[in-house]
Amino acid sequence: MLQEMFDKIDADADLTKDEISYLLTLEKEDELEQLYQRADQVRKRYVGEEVHLRGLIELSNYCRKNCLYCGIRRDNRAIPRYRMDVEEVLETVALAEGLGYRTVVLQSGEDLHYTADILVSMVRQVKQQSDVAVTLSIGERPRHVYEKLFEAGADRYLMRFETSNPDLYKRLHPDSRYEERMAILTWLKEMGYQVGSGVMVGVPGQTFDDLAQDILTFKEMDLDMVGVGPYICHEATPLAGSPNGTVEMTLKVVALTRIVTRDTNIPATTALATLRPLDGREKALQVGANVVMPNVTPVKYRALYELYPDKICIGDAAEQCQGCITGRIMSIGRPISQDYGHSFKRNTAK
Ligand code: 5AD
Ligand code: SF4
Ligand code: FES
């Protein structure tokens, strides 16, 4: 039965939900090894050897939402809040460009201090000043705001749907609606954005079937990018005391995401590196991932963007992360892309 599934993967045939679910339960070393080798081959065949770097700028840790798992949720009064102004963002983008990054990811909690006008002006100035692709990851906004930001030059948008199980989604997100989130992701694609989404692995209440459905959903949505990282319990949230997701399960999800979605951009996530600082990202890059997102946020803010505890790099300047990441990628024999690293699903940026 397992051999049949491996043969299907080798023949580039589509796996069923039950098959994906079964493959997620593999635990024997030799069987996992066979799965991982196949994921690595699919990665090579569809997106090549190059690893794309994205400079991550954490703009603000203010958030109007209260997602149960998240350390910067509105009700966490224990963390000081910060917000970068446009001037500081522009300086940080210039630094990222100087380090050779051809994409910047502007990420924040849902911070309405950044009005549509401020965001438009930010994106315009970034595109004027620097030769970089701009990815936004700032949560849910009215449709017209996404339109304006695309016109201003934003290339990509990241927003995880977190789980494809509507009941679980509801339990985790007291102030978001599953249908709304999925509708936004559809609009973004229609507007011309390259769209990234993804899920957390091991969030309390999640089943193998949920994860299998998540992976099929990545494919159905025709996503350009898919980020999956382990859930990491934050003690200042309602989920305090719950177990973390595991490195092993996350790697299986990365591998199957590659096998099922084939030509997407898949990051080796910071959350995975947090659970396995020594070689978590290298492992992910060897089982399907092809992107890394080094942090370029000014060091004084790093510790405050605490989605989960013990996040790596909180004391490391952008230059250090660049050196660290470059070394890690070279150590596994992979070349670093000098290009924007646009979606493989289209030929030109816009
Ligand atoms: N553990 C792991 N990932 C988390 N995120 C938020 N909180 C946590 C946590 N406790 C992830 C969510 C969100 C992304 C920006 O960070 O998936 O979409
Ligand atoms: Fe806010 Fe995002 Fe955290 Fe939810 S996951 S509380 S929207 S920053
Ligand atoms: Fe920041 Fe390694 S990526 S120190």
Side-chain angles (χ1 to χ4, degrees), residues 69-71 107 160 162 199-200 230-234 271 305 307-308:
Y69 45 81
C70 179
Q107 185 174 80
R160 291 183 176 175
E162 314 293 0
V199 301
M200 277 176 296
Y231 161 71
I232 303 174
C233 179
H234 194 299
Y305 200 80
L307 305 176
Y308 45 81

Side-chain angles (χ1 to χ4, degrees), residues 281 312-313 316 320-321 324-325 328:
R281 284 165 293 189
I312 54 163
C313 309
D316 299 295
Q320 283 168 283
C321 291
C324 166
I325 291 288
R328 286 170 189 276

